Amino acid sequence: MLKVKNLNAAYKDLQVLWDVAFEVKQGELVVLLGANGAGKTTTLNAISGLVASRTGTIEFLGQDIINLPGHKIAQMGITHVPEGRRLFPEMSVRENLEIGSLMPEAKAKRQETIKKVYELFPILAEKRNQDAGKLSGGQQQMLAIGRGLMALPKLLIMDEPSLGLAPVLVSQIFDIVKEINKQGVTVLLVEQNVVRTLGMCDRAYVLDNGRMTISGTGSELLNDEHIKEAYLGI
Amino acid sequence: MELLSQTIICGILLGGMYALIAIGMTLIMGVMNIVNLAHGALVMVGMYVTYVCAQEFGVDPYLGMFVAMLVLFFLGCLIQKFMINRLVEVESILPENQVLLTVGIMLVLTEGIRLIFKSDYRSVVTSYSSDTLYFSGMAISVPMLTGFFIAMLFTFLLHLFLTRTDLGKSIRATAQDRDAAVYMGINASKITMITFGLGAALAAAGGSLLLPLFYLWPDIGHLFTAKSFIITILGGLGSTGGAIVGGLILGIAESLGATYISMGYKDVVGLVIFLLVLLFLPGGVRSLVKRWQA
Ligand SMILES: Nc1ncnc2c1ncn2[C@@H]1O[C@H](COP(=O)(O)OP(=O)(O)OP(=O)(O)O)[C@@H](O)[C@H]1O
Ligand SMILES: [Mg+2]
């Protein structure tokens, strides 16, 4: 579904990604791991068209999208739940969900999808008229995910959805990510929570200083000596 | 007592029309993050369009207003797309310099109009220009009253547009978080262009409503840039509701100044208030409301 090859990306003169290559197949849950500053967010933003300076190929559903502007990429079915949530703080919960479904097909099913999102996150239904900026961190993350689902994505990209949440909530968010994937949405997930994500993903890649170093299935990586050393402290 | 209430009512009516112009500026500021110092010049061009419609084609100013809005919408789109956007897309150019560009645009518009119409004072006279309503001892000008209600109607329609339609929500989303808007599949560049056009159309509407009340000459734009700027600061940058409050405050202050100090000091009163607000309430009325809620 998504095939990234020779991806290089830079901010002004600072090159951050070096020949990154990876693949996400239809229906998979793929995890991208890496230390702080490794370039995970940059990789995701390069896919979504928000890093201005990028070269290589990013093939989505057989089409190279590397030169498309960000909004076109979103319209093709790649939905990004960004790092730091990036909600529209002065719009209500409901409006944030509505704005997630601008594309024709998503718009046609807007009310139906909102209902499903409310079932998934009942708290959002309760707070539907509140400004997104006034929600707690956990609720904001739920809204960010809900807003992503509103687009009826073909590929859902999530950047550290568990960041800054209490352990109980982290667990809940991971359950939901798994559930979303089970319902047929292909997911590309960036996480720092290595054990938990390797346990639930189909395949994983490790990004180290802007280069892909290790890849394999979740259990392969869990048993990888380097991973054990670098991320699990064993 | 009648004089005071008449003065205040006049101020409110005037302020409502100012507010419409300032809301246009606020909208543009929201999505572009720059103060558009050409805003008053857009008001002025809009007034000339309405003036020409009335003078050359005998179109009533309240109808000519729609022509002016349409013309200014497209003019605004073109200015945004082919001039301002050029600078926005170059990251190394600071926002301060984008503001300088709007000053340049203001000069070009002002001098362009001067080239065509000379610096002569002009005015539009209609059958109802000097009509007055008498109301418990107060005299209220009909064009003022009409202008105020049309301005409020437009404000209300704009509010509906921004809160009820996908396009309106896309404008608000782009203003609140541009990158996040792109994640939603919103073409942020297009939205910015449309918003600039919309802001210019509101400027034209406000100007056309004020046309029966003001003399028109090319430099009148500066007056409106200053007023919109004062109002946006007064109201707290970027809020439509704040712009209405700011507009009313400015209108009342000017009106009081004109009645009780001197007609000539009308605009000075606005500037004094502006300075006071900057000194003592830099967040505008909006920050006051927030402080009160907290
Ligand atoms: N907008 C930017 N401008 C300049 N440099 C940037 C920008 N965003 C990120 N960088 C730099 O690019 C490198 C990779 O950053 P990136 O955000 O992609 O890392 P990450 O793996 O997502 O890290 P984290 O786990 O902290 O989110 C870092 O060195 C960072 O400082
Ligand atoms: Mg990151």
Side-chain angles (χ1 to χ4, degrees), chain A residues 45 86 90 95 98 110, chain B residues 166 169 172 176-177 183:
Chain A
N45 275 333
R86 305 295 288 268
E90 289 171 36
E95 283 178 318
E98 285 167 352
R110 181 176 285 175
Chain B
D166 276 1
K169 283 177 202 159
R172 286 162 62 218
Q176 288 174 34
D177 191 330
Y183 289 133

Side-chain angles (χ1 to χ4, degrees), chain B residues 108-129:
Chain B
V108 170
L109 290 175
T110 308
E111 298 315 313
I113 289 289
R114 200 186 321 277
L115 210 61
I116 308 173
F117 296 95
K118 311 285 176 294
S119 286
D120 303 341
Y121 286 86
R122 293 159 193 272
S123 65
V124 170
V125 182
T126 56
S127 55
Y128 47 81
S129 280

Side-chain angles (χ1 to χ4, degrees), chain A residues 94-107:
Chain A
R94 197 188 167 82
E95 283 178 318
N96 267 277
L97 291 177
E98 285 167 352
I99 204 88
S101 56
L102 291 176
M103 271 69 84
E105 297 126 70
K107 190 173 175 174

Side-chain angles (χ1 to χ4, degrees), chain B residues 1 6 14 27 47 52 81 84 113 121 125 133 137 146 173 195 225 238:
Chain B
M1 198 58 214
Q6 177 175 326
L14 204 57
L27 268 184
M47 290 170 89
V52 168
K81 183 160 175 142
I84 301 180
I113 289 289
Y121 286 86
V125 182
L133 274 182
T146 320
T195 308
T225 300

Side-chain angles (χ1 to χ4, degrees), chain B residues 156-177:
Chain B
F156 178 66
L157 291 177
L158 178 73
H159 175 77
L160 287 186
F161 168 70
L162 289 175
T163 52
R164 300 286 164 84
T165 66
D166 276 1
L167 183 56
K169 283 177 202 159
S170 300
I171 289 177
R172 286 162 62 218
T174 306
Q176 288 174 34
D177 191 330

Side-chain angles (χ1 to χ4, degrees), chain A residues 224-234:
Chain A
D224 185 282
E225 289 304 320
H226 175 77
I227 298 266
K228 278 186 184 166
E229 210 173 298
Y231 297 97
L232 306 177
I234 306 173

Side-chain angles (χ1 to χ4, degrees), chain B residues 2-278:
Chain B
E2 270 97 29
L3 183 63
L4 179 63
S5 20
Q6 177 175 326
T7 304
I8 290 180
I9 288 178
C10 258
I12 291 175
L13 299 183
L14 204 57
M17 290 180 266
Y18 290 167
L20 188 61
I21 295 172
I23 288 170
M25 190 189 231
T26 305
L27 268 184
I28 293 172
M29 189 154 22
V31 291
M32 300 212 58
N33 286 319
I34 60 166
V35 178
N36 172 26
L37 292 179
H39 200 65
L42 295 172
V43 175
M44 178 271 298
V45 175
M47 290 170 89
Y48 271 96
V49 174
T50 306
Y51 169 81
V52 168
C53 285
Q55 219 61 19
E56 302 292 320
F57 306 103
V59 178
D60 185 277
Y62 292 119
L63 286 178
M65 172 179 71
F66 290 101
V67 179
M69 287 173 76
L70 204 67
V71 171
L72 266 284
F73 176 80
F74 286 111
L75 182 64
C77 287
L78 290 176
I79 288 176
Q80 201 285 329
K81 183 160 175 142
F82 293 107
M83 300 178 85
I84 301 180
N85 203 36
R86 290 278 156 103
L87 290 200
V88 174
E89 281 175 358
V90 183
E91 270 176 37
S92 53
I93 297 180
L94 297 170
E96 289 84 333
N97 298 336
Q98 298 169 3
V99 173
L100 281 184
L101 177 67
T102 68
V103 174
I105 292 169
M106 179 267 286
L107 289 173
V108 170
L109 290 175
T110 308
E111 298 315 313
I113 289 289
R114 200 186 321 277
L115 210 61
I116 308 173
F117 296 95
K118 311 285 176 294
S119 286
D120 303 341
Y121 286 86
R122 293 159 193 272
S123 65
V124 170
V125 182
T126 56
S127 55
Y128 47 81
S129 280
S130 50
D131 281 3
T132 311
L133 274 182
Y134 294 94
F135 179 72
S136 65
M138 296 179 293
I140 312 270
S141 129
V142 168
M144 252 191 180
L145 207 59
T146 320
F148 174 81
F149 281 112
I150 295 179
M152 289 300 104
L153 178 69
F154 276 147
T155 308
F156 178 66
L157 291 177
L158 178 73
H159 175 77
L160 287 186
F161 168 70
L162 289 175
T163 52
R164 300 286 164 84
T165 66
D166 276 1
L167 183 56
K169 283 177 202 159
S170 300
I171 289 177
R172 286 162 62 218
T174 306
Q176 288 174 34
D177 191 330
R178 194 181 180 83
D179 283 352
V182 175
Y183 289 133
M184 302 299 116
I186 293 171
N187 184 345
S189 316
K190 193 169 126 202
I191 290 291
T192 306
M193 182 186 83
I194 292 174
T195 308
F196 205 101
L198 193 60
L202 292 177
S208 304
L209 294 176
L210 288 165
L211 191 56
L213 307 166
F214 278 73
Y215 279 109
L216 176 59
W217 84 107
D219 293 302
I220 200 175
H222 311 321
L223 204 68
F224 289 118
T225 300
K227 286 187 204 306
S228 323
F229 195 53
I230 294 171
I231 291 171
T232 27
I233 299 280
L234 260 176
L237 296 170
S239 112
T240 313
I244 296 177
V245 176
L248 295 184
I249 294 176
L250 182 68
I252 293 171
E254 277 189 3
S255 187
L256 287 173
T259 307
Y260 293 101
I261 304 173
S262 144
M263 193 63 201
Y265 282 120
K266 175 170 154 264
D267 297 318
V268 179
V269 173
L271 285 174
V272 169
I273 294 191
F274 176 55
L275 290 177
L276 290 178
V277 168
L278 276 186

